[in-house]
């Protein structure tokens, strides 16, 4: 082991992708037992042999840590990468957590959506919703930012439709809603800090290749 080597820092997203991402890192030999301890209050975990350290952050913060170089690499969903639009390099599609970003609502809203008669769209993803409605569909709508359980919005009359992630579709079905338009496919991606990619390219590429092989 080279004692002088600096640690490569990897930011992982808390939440639904966390377990699958850790499994993949483990499979690729980039291990860290400490991080699996559910009772720990520690925020950062290291593997001194590999000189790699991990931390788990709120999903939407992963691209921020990577843009500023506080993390050399990160693993996060494409939804977050697009929404946060940080300056990072997207280097690998891990194919985990596949789902779609969709416009959803009651079947009755389909005609209004087609004919540009939607007035309000509720979403956790205002940037993605704006880009879709303003730039792609050339429709002026009011975007209402929510922080979760977005499916409620059309039910209680906050908006006619929502822009949200659909994985199995069961949340929509359970609430009498359906996919009206698909915006783009999503999955977990590896992102890298731009400067770090130049300074530590050999070590970072080795980690990326190990992940690729484990896929
Ligand atoms: C996500 C998303 C949908 C649901 C889709 O929410 O916003 O609500 O999952 O999954 P499904 O198609 O498999 O039903 P999440 O569980 O992250 O919770 P939140 O709505 O409170 O953010």
């Amino acid at each position: 082991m080279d004692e002088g080597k600096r640690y490569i820092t990897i930011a992982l997203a808390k939440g639904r992708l966390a377990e699958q991402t850790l499994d993949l890192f483990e499979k690729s030999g980039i291990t860290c037992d400490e991080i699996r301890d559910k009772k720990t209050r520690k925020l950062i975990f290291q593997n001194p042999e590999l000189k790699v350290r991990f931390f788990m952050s709120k999903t939407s913060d992963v691209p921020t840590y990577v843009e500023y170089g506080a993390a050399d690499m990160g693993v996060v969903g494409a939804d977050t990468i697009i929404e946060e639009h940080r300056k990072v390099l997207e280097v690998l599609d891990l194919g985990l957590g596949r789902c779609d970003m969709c416009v959803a609502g009651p079947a009755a809203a389909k005609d209004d959506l087609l004919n540009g008669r939607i007035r309000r769209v509720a979403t956790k993803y205002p940037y993605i919703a704006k880009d879709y409605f303003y730039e792609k569909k050339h429709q002026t709508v009011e975007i209402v930012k929510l922080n979760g359980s977005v499916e409620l919005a059309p039910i209680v009359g906050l908006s006619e439709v929502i822009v949200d992630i659909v994985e199995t579709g069961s949340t929509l079905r359970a609430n009498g809603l359906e996919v009206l338009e698909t915006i783009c496919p999503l999955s977990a991606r590896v992102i890298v800090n731009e400067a770090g990619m130049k300074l530590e390219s050999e070590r970072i590429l080795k980690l990326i290749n190990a992940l690729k092989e484990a896929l």
Side-chain angles (χ1 to χ4, degrees), residues 27-58:
K27 203 171 153 203
S28 65
I30 312 162
T31 53
C32 187
D33 296 337
E34 266 186 306
I35 205 167
R36 297 280 191 170
D37 177 2
K38 292 212 163 40
K39 280 184 281 175
T40 185
R41 300 292 295 165
K42 268 179 80 170
L43 296 172
I44 191 145
F45 309 89
Q46 51 193 45
N47 178 326
E49 278 76 47
L50 296 176
K51 284 273 183 169
V52 167
R53 58 181 191 167
F54 295 90
F55 66 80
M56 299 282 235
S57 77
K58 200 174 148 81

Side-chain angles (χ1 to χ4, degrees), residues 16 124 147-151 164-172:
R16 53 169 73 196
K124 283 188 286 188
N147 296 298
S149 303
V150 179
E151 290 83 358
D164 200 15
I165 286 174
V166 179
E167 192 175 357
T168 61
S170 55
T171 314
L172 290 181

Side-chain angles (χ1 to χ4, degrees), residues 24 76 81 89-95 187-192 207-213 215:
L24 184 70
V76 69
I81 299 172
L89 299 172
E90 192 182 309
V91 293
L92 180 63
D93 182 351
L94 296 176
S187 54
R189 312 283 160 89
V190 178
I191 54 174
V192 174
L207 292 172
I208 294 167
N209 281 331
L211 288 171
K212 248 189 220 167
E213 274 165 32
L215 282 177

Side-chain angles (χ1 to χ4, degrees), residues 70-214:
D72 300 278
M73 292 169 67
V75 177
V76 69
D79 51 321
T80 306
I81 299 172
I82 305 168
E83 183 63 27
E84 296 299 317
H85 53 283
R86 292 277 176 186
K87 237 171 143 257
V88 294
L89 299 172
E90 192 182 309
V91 293
L92 180 63
D93 182 351
L94 296 176
L96 304 175
R98 281 194 197 283
C99 53
D100 292 306
M101 185 63 72
C102 296
V103 181
K110 198 159 200 160
D111 268 358
D112 287 344
L113 187 62
L114 269 175
N115 298 309
R117 288 196 302 260
I118 295 294
R119 284 181 306 126
R120 269 200 228 130
V121 178
T123 186
K124 283 188 286 188
Y125 302 92
Y127 181 87
I128 294 175
K130 240 179 229 161
D131 181 65
Y132 185 67
F133 276 92
Y134 293 14
E135 306 301 328
K136 308 231 163 56
K137 288 174 75 75
H138 306 290
Q139 289 179 14
T140 312
V141 293
E142 185 184 350
I143 310 281
V144 183
K145 163 89 188 329
L146 290 177
N147 296 298
S149 303
V150 179
E151 290 83 358
L152 271 173
I155 300 172
V156 297
L158 175 63
S159 67
E160 295 102 308
V161 295
I162 59 173
V163 164
D164 200 15
I165 286 174
V166 179
E167 192 175 357
T168 61
S170 55
T171 314
L172 290 181
R173 274 192 300 278
N175 292 289
L177 307 172
E178 60 185 63
V179 171
L180 302 175
E181 286 173 6
T182 300
I183 300 177
C184 62
L186 304 166
S187 54
R189 312 283 160 89
V190 178
I191 54 174
V192 174
N193 172 264
E194 286 185 345
M197 192 61 173
K198 289 182 193 135
L199 294 170
E200 290 280 9
S201 63
E202 201 182 310
R203 291 176 70 201
I204 291 175
L205 287 173
K206 224 169 137 185
L207 292 172
I208 294 167
N209 281 331
L211 288 171
K212 248 189 220 167
E213 274 165 32

